[in-house]
Amino acid sequence: SAVISQKPSRDICQRGTSLTIQCQVDSQVTMMFWYRQQPGQSLTLIATANQGSEATYESGFVIDKFPISRPNLTFSTLTVSNMSPEDSSIYLCSVDGGSGNTIYFGEGSWLTVV
Amino acid sequence: GDSVTQMEGPVTLSEEAFLTINCTYTATGYPSLFWYVQYPGEGLQLLLKATKADDKGSNKGFEATYRKETTSFHLEKGSVQVSDSAVYFCALNNAGGTSYGKLTFGQGTILTVHP
């Protein structure tokens, strides 16, 4: 199984600021995925991050708001830009375990925007 | 597009009761199906999975069978414990190819188990 570490685990942010979330995996993976879970809601895929190429964003998410970096096969960052209270969510990083179609998640970054 | 529908919650049970959480899906082709669990204050953990029709996923006393004829993947446990209190998410992956991480989630079902 893959072990995924996210930082920060929690943060309280001022509106209008930006925050970068880091995701570190203990093994090399081709694809990393970023999800958002708004309070009391299910999870929604933000984007797919491949190493060496631009991230692919899902409908409703744009690069200017959620820029993503993927500098190597074990690391990715997601930035939440110009935050508003509506961005208060859990942001989760996930990876494909590579065997038997198993997807693993980090513990999430719990952001509150005030 | 693909979708996952879970039974309305929350579900409240007494310890040792039988649990069923219904999950149905809409998807083309042959998706893989998953149940994830989120304990209070924690991230998402894979509970079990099934990758083809008639497969049964099982873990920690939970089971779910991939029923293609009814497009369902209901979660069951014969005797729940207080420690099973959590939010349960049904999900599918229909991306195929090299993109196994693009999951479509149901809305989640809150389970509370009382002593």
Side-chain angles (χ1 to χ4, degrees), chain A residues 3 33 35 41 50 68 74 91 97 102 108:
Chain A
V3 177
F33 304 86
Y35 286 81
Q41 303 295 315
N50 290 340
I68 288 171
T74 64
Y91 293 86
T102 302

Side-chain angles (χ1 to χ4, degrees), chain A residues 10 31 33 35 37 41-43 45 48 58 90 92 94 96 99-108 110, chain B residues 32 34 36 38 40-46 49 51 89 93 98-108:
Chain A
R10 294 178 185 272
M31 293 183 178
F33 304 86
Y35 286 81
Q37 184 181 17
Q41 303 295 315
S42 188
L43 286 83
L45 180 64
T48 303
E58 299 298 306
I90 307 171
L92 297 108
S94 77
D96 166 21
S99 60
N101 196 9
T102 302
I103 294 96
Y104 298 99
F105 284 83
E107 292 194 347
W110 301 54
Chain B
S32 295
F34 305 85
Y36 285 87
Q38 188 173 37
E42 298 185 13
L44 213 60
Q45 300 176 27
L46 176 65
K49 66 176 182 179
T51 58
F89 291 94
N93 171 11
T98 60
S99 184
Y100 286 130
K102 296 182 68 173
L103 294 166
T104 299
F105 283 88
Q107 64 267 43

Side-chain angles (χ1 to χ4, degrees), chain A residues 83-99:
Chain A
M83 287 185 284
S84 66
E86 292 71 34
D87 294 319
S88 297
S89 298
I90 307 171
Y91 293 86
L92 297 108
C93 172
S94 77
V95 303
D96 166 21
S99 60

Side-chain angles (χ1 to χ4, degrees), chain B residues 16-37:
Chain B
E16 300 183 2
F18 183 84
L19 168 70
T20 300
I21 301 178
N22 290 339
C23 171
T24 57
Y25 68 90
T26 301
T28 58
Y30 301 91
S32 295
L33 302 174
F34 305 85
W35 277 99
Y36 285 87
V37 58

